[in-house]
Amino acid sequence: YIYFSAEEIQDGNTLLKCAPPIREKSNNALLKAALAVDVLDFITTDHSPSPASLKELESGDFQKAWGGISGLQFLLPASWTGLRDELSLQKYIPLLTSRPAKFLGIDDRKGSLKVGYDADFVVWSPAEQFTVSEENMFSRHKISPYIDEQLFGAVHQTYVNGILVYDHKKVVHQNAGHWILRK
C-alpha cells in the first residue's frame, strides 16, 4: 500500500488483487505522512501467495482471482523504496523492528540490538538497487507483482537467533527461529 498505486495497475492485472484493494497515489501519500508523524506505528505485510491458476492471470477476472500477494520477502526493500524519499533511515528502521516488537509485547527480547536480546538482524544495503526476478524469489509460486520492479535495499544476510539463515541469495539454514505465541 506504500509501494504500489492504483493508477499504475493495468486493467486485468490480477497479480495486484489484494484486500483491501490497492488505492490511488493520494492514499499512498497519506500513509507516508502518517508514518512520518507517528500516526501509524509500524509497517507490516501480508503474505498470501497462490498458484498462477488461482490468480486468474489468463482471464484477468478480478472477481474470481485470489486476493493476495506474496509480500514477505519484499517487505524491507519495497517499503524502503516507497519511503526513502520521505523518511530517514533512523525514522524508518524502528517501523520494522522495535515498534512491531513493542506492539506484540516482545520488546523485552526482540526489536533491538541489545545484550540479552535475540540476535535477529539483517545485513542490507539501503542504497543498492536490484531488479526482482522469478529466480530470486523464495516463494513456491513464482508469480508476483514485484517481478521486474527496481527496488532499493538489497538484503545480503539474515540472522535469526544469531544463526545465519540467508547468505547472498541462498537460504543456508531453515527453522532457526521459534514460534512467538501470546500468553
Side-chain angles (χ1 to χ4, degrees):
Y1 302 102
I2 293 169
Y3 181 76
F4 293 113
S5 61
E7 294 91 340
E8 298 167 354
I9 300 174
Q10 296 177 338
D11 288 346
N13 185 356
T14 56
L15 280 175
L16 286 147
K17 181 183 177 182
C18 56
I22 294 172
R23 307 291 185 195
E24 293 75 19
K25 284 184 182 180
S26 59
N27 190 68
N28 294 52
L30 290 170
L31 291 171
K32 292 173 184 181
L35 288 165
V37 297
D38 299 328
V39 169
L40 295 176
D41 295 326
F42 52 86
I43 300 170
T44 65
T45 187
D46 184 18
H47 183 67
S48 185
S50 73
S53 61
L54 294 181
K55 286 301 275 185
E56 293 290 329
L57 300 174
E58 297 287 324
S59 71
D61 187 337
F62 274 85
Q63 295 293 324
K64 293 180 181 175
W66 176 269
I69 295 174
S70 177
L72 185 61
Q73 179 179 349
F74 305 110
L75 172 64
L76 178 61
S79 61
W80 175 241
T81 300
L83 290 166
R84 67 191 187 89
D85 293 332
E86 317 288 327
L87 300 178
S88 67
L89 276 173
Q90 291 76 16
K91 181 81 172 174
Y92 172 73
I93 290 171
L95 296 171
L96 296 170
T97 58
S98 59
R99 287 181 164 193
K102 183 176 182 180
F103 175 79
L104 293 170
I106 57 173
D107 54 329
D108 61 338
R109 64 187 184 279
K110 293 200 175 282
S112 297
L113 293 176
K114 295 181 180 177
V115 174
Y117 278 51
D118 293 347
D120 301 334
F121 59 94
V122 63
V123 177
W124 72 298
S125 175
E128 187 177 337
Q129 195 171 15
F130 68 98
T131 302
V132 177
S133 67
E134 286 183 30
E135 294 78 34
N136 61 21
M137 284 186 62
F138 286 97
S139 182
R140 178 174 50 159
H141 307 294
K142 305 295 183 193
I143 60 168
S144 171
Y146 291 107
I147 292 175
D148 295 329
E149 292 292 312
Q150 297 267 320
L151 300 178
F152 283 89
V155 174
H156 296 289
Q157 294 179 319
T158 303
Y159 291 81
V160 176
N161 294 325
I163 300 168
L164 179 65
V165 297
Y166 172 82
D167 189 26
H168 296 89
K169 301 182 183 178
K170 293 183 181 166
V171 174
V172 295
H173 190 289
Q174 292 182 338
N175 304 318
H178 55 273
W179 288 101
I180 299 172
L181 303 172
R182 284 193 175 188
K183 295 178 182 178

